[in-house]
Amino acid sequence: MGLHGRVFAKRHIFFSIFMAASFLAAGASHALTLTEAREEALRVNLKVKLSKEKVSEAASVKKQRYSDFFAKLDARAFASHTEPEPRVLVKRGEYGTFPSTGPVPSSDRAVLVGEQDTLGVALRLEQPVFQGGRIYNSYRQSEAAQEALSHDEKKIAQDILLMTESAYIDLLKADELKRVAEQHLKTVEAHMTDIQLLYNRGRAAQNDVLKVKVELARAGEALIVADNDMRIAAGRLNAILDRPFMQSVEPEALSESKKFDLTPDEAERLALSNRADMKSAYGRAREAAFRTKASEADYYPGLKLMSEYVHQTQQPTSDNDEWSVMMLLEYRLLDFGGRSNRVEAAKSTERQRQLDLITVESVIYSEVHESLLNVRAADKRVDVTKEALHQADENLRITKFGFEHGAKTSTDVLDAEDLKIKTNSEHIRARYDSHHARAVFRHAVGLMHAENLEEGAGR
């Protein structure tokens, strides 16, 4: 290979490395949006997958119960061997002696009677005519069970979405608090440089230098805590998304919380019409009611229409082909209380499901009112902390101005810086608590799939 070829090869290698690095950097810098996190959580969560399988199982049971309305056709094959063969001995002259023919029969004979060795097939058709409502109510019971499990699936999905959104918000909050801690550390380091310079010039006391050093150590410790909190928040989100705990996550900033004005009555109506657990409890109450009716069918007789066709090898005492039609009426006269106890157990279950329904409704009312109050309180906290942050900024500006002109000490500056950091941190927590309160409220009214209340309420 010539010089030109070697240079070209090196450029090609460098270009490939550069492109690969650019691709990896682009992939690593991709911010995970809240929508992507929610979709991924629903896709990988095992509880969601399990709930889908339960719905699929219930659908199969419903189809099975539906098939009970129709006739059943059974086929059977049979073979028999008789040893010895069933014969009757007819003695000579058993039927008399006649001048023209002599004795009848003329000698002892063994006459074959009954079945010989037999091969045969049979088809049996059975159609229920009346079962006291057992088939119909069993089908409706399975239908209600499928409906309840379908709403359970939605409830699990909404819980997963709330958990994902809460973890996402916590990560954003921890990440912003870490940046505040980093900025505070840089500010204190700069102040340390200034105070050390003043001390060297004899314009600051050693006590002032020591105070700044203490504050520098505290800022470093706060950054360690903030960094650890951010890593833990990222790990919790990764765990929900079925990722490695220590995998890096870059969340995307959320838009400002939109204020809304819902009355408690409006929120209650939203919850009762949208909450999956309410619909699930109602479905289970219906399931229990149909189960009671199905068990009460034992008090009535059962009527079936049955038809059978049999084909067998030739027999001396029966036709080769036979068919029959019959109506079968069945009724259990005595079972020593088994029937009545089954009905009573079903009624007890039905009463329990009604109580569960009332309990769920009460819990929903409580969650709606509590979450609505928390949203309003969070909004007020945002406004208050925002105003406090503005005042803290102004206080720090005035204090720094006074320090630069000898009217304030370094301690005053440190106190103003500390007040600014605390106020800023409170404002950050208030903003993300507002996001979290809205997520909890959307969950409480059954609109967790909506990314904001206005979007979900309009659906």
Side-chain angles (χ1 to χ4, degrees):
M1 180 182 295
L3 178 61
H4 179 73
R6 288 195 297 271
V7 172
F8 178 81
K10 289 181 179 179
R11 288 180 178 176
H12 181 71
I13 292 172
F14 289 145
F15 179 78
S16 300
I17 294 174
F18 174 78
M19 291 299 295
S22 300
F23 176 80
L24 292 175
S29 62
H30 171 67
L32 178 70
T33 67
L34 178 57
T35 300
E36 291 171 342
R38 287 152 56 99
E39 291 174 352
E40 187 173 347
L42 292 179
R43 184 171 61 253
V44 303
N45 190 269
L46 294 180
K47 289 184 178 180
V48 175
K49 294 180 180 179
L50 179 61
S51 64
K52 290 181 182 296
E53 290 299 325
K54 289 182 177 180
V55 173
S56 177
E57 178 188 2
S60 298
V61 172
K62 175 184 171 182
K63 292 178 181 178
Q64 173 194 339
R65 298 282 175 83
Y66 183 72
S67 68
D68 292 339
F69 285 107
F70 305 101
K72 303 295 185 294
L73 182 62
D74 298 322
R76 62 186 174 90
F78 55 91
S80 64
H81 172 70
T82 303
E83 186 65 37
E85 292 182 328
R87 296 175 181 271
V88 175
L89 179 62
V90 180
K91 295 183 178 181
R92 182 177 182 275
E94 182 74 22
Y95 300 116
T97 301
F98 304 94
S100 59
T101 59
V104 179
S106 58
S107 61
D108 294 347
R109 293 185 178 181
V111 180
L112 183 64
V113 296
E115 292 186 352
Q116 305 180 44
D117 290 351
T118 306
L119 292 174
V121 292
L123 295 175
R124 182 177 181 178
L125 186 68
E126 183 177 317
Q127 171 65 54
V129 177
F130 177 76
Q131 295 294 318
R134 180 187 294 105
I135 297 176
Y136 172 77
N137 288 300
S138 294
Y139 169 74
R140 294 302 303 273
Q141 178 187 349
S142 64
E143 186 179 50
Q146 182 188 3
E147 177 187 345
L149 288 170
S150 176
H151 291 302
D152 284 346
E153 179 189 355
K154 295 177 182 177
K155 173 65 167 58
I156 291 173
Q158 295 233 343
D159 292 344
I160 295 300
L161 289 175
L162 175 61
M163 186 167 56
T164 303
E165 191 161 336
S166 297
Y168 193 92
I169 291 170
D170 287 343
L171 176 57
L172 281 171
K173 178 170 63 176
D175 184 61
E176 191 164 342
L177 288 173
K178 178 188 173 183
R179 291 200 299 271
V180 170
E182 289 173 343
Q183 183 60 43
H184 179 54
L185 180 61
K186 292 179 181 178
T187 301
V188 176
E189 287 174 345
H191 190 57
M192 183 70 220
T193 301
D194 293 341
I195 198 68
Q196 186 67 48
L197 182 61
L198 292 175
Y199 175 74
N200 293 337
R201 294 176 178 177
R203 294 175 57 188
Q206 185 178 8
N207 187 42
D208 292 334
V209 176
L210 294 176
K211 287 180 179 179
V212 177
K213 287 184 178 180
V214 171
E215 185 61 29
L216 184 62
R218 288 176 55 194
E221 179 188 3
L223 178 58
I224 293 173
V225 173
D227 181 70
N228 190 61
D229 290 343
M230 191 270 293
R231 293 177 185 274
I232 291 175
R236 288 173 179 167
L237 181 59
N238 283 328
I240 296 172
L241 302 181
D242 196 25
R243 296 177 172 184
F245 190 86
M246 297 302 295
Q247 180 174 332
S248 177
V249 183
E250 183 183 345
E252 188 178 78
L254 298 176
S255 58
E256 186 177 351
S257 297
K258 295 181 180 180
K259 293 189 177 183
F260 59 88
D261 187 18
L262 281 179
T263 66
D265 290 340
E266 290 172 337
E268 286 178 5
R269 286 196 294 271
L270 269 177
L272 293 179
S273 61
N274 289 293
R275 282 285 288 259
D277 47 353
M278 184 71 184
K279 295 178 181 179
S280 176
Y282 178 69
R284 282 186 164 76
R286 290 179 61 242
E287 177 189 2
F290 285 122
R291 178 188 174 189
T292 300
K293 293 180 180 179
S295 62
E296 289 174 342
D298 291 340
Y299 289 126
Y300 302 96
L303 184 63
K304 297 179 181 178
L305 174 66
M306 301 174 62
S307 179
E308 188 172 53
Y309 167 75
V310 179
H311 174 75
Q312 59 186 355
T313 54
Q314 186 172 1
Q315 299 294 316
T317 58
S318 61
D319 295 331
N320 298 339
D321 295 281
E322 296 180 349
W323 69 275
S324 62
V325 177
M326 64 179 293
M327 294 290 289
L328 178 64
L329 182 67
E330 297 177 318
Y331 185 73
R332 181 168 295 173
L333 296 175
L334 182 64
D335 67 350
F336 298 98
R339 175 170 47 195
S340 59
N341 286 317
R342 280 194 300 273
V343 172
E344 185 55 37
K347 289 182 177 179
S348 178
T349 302
E350 183 179 357
R351 290 191 292 269
Q352 293 174 48
R353 296 297 172 264
Q354 290 293 335
L355 293 175
D356 288 341
L357 183 60
I358 296 173
T359 301
V360 170
E361 187 175 357
S362 176
V363 170
I364 288 175
Y365 285 147
S366 176
E367 290 180 353
V368 167
H369 284 276
E370 181 178 342
S371 61
L372 186 57
L373 289 173
N374 286 336
V375 168
R376 291 174 177 174
D379 288 345
K380 292 178 181 178
R381 282 187 59 215
V382 171
D383 294 337
V384 170
T385 56
K386 184 177 181 180
E387 178 62 24
L389 180 59
H390 175 72
Q391 299 297 333
D393 283 333
E394 183 65 14
N395 176 64
L396 179 59
R397 186 188 67 80
I398 295 173
T399 303
K400 283 184 176 181
F401 181 81
F403 177 73
E404 292 171 356
H405 292 79
K408 296 289 184 180
T409 66
S410 62
T411 301
D412 296 330
V413 175
L414 290 177
D415 290 342
E417 284 280 0
D418 186 59
L419 179 62
K420 164 69 181 302
I421 291 299
K422 290 180 179 179
T423 308
N424 193 16
S425 298
E426 289 172 359
H427 182 57
I428 291 171
R429 292 188 178 92
R431 286 194 294 108
Y432 287 108
D433 287 349
S434 175
H435 283 292
H436 184 265
R438 278 166 167 72
V440 173
F441 179 75
R442 294 203 318 274
H443 182 270
V445 297
L447 292 174
M448 197 61 225
H449 283 87
E451 294 191 6
N452 57 67
L453 184 63
E454 293 78 3
E455 178 183 327
R459 290 179 179 178

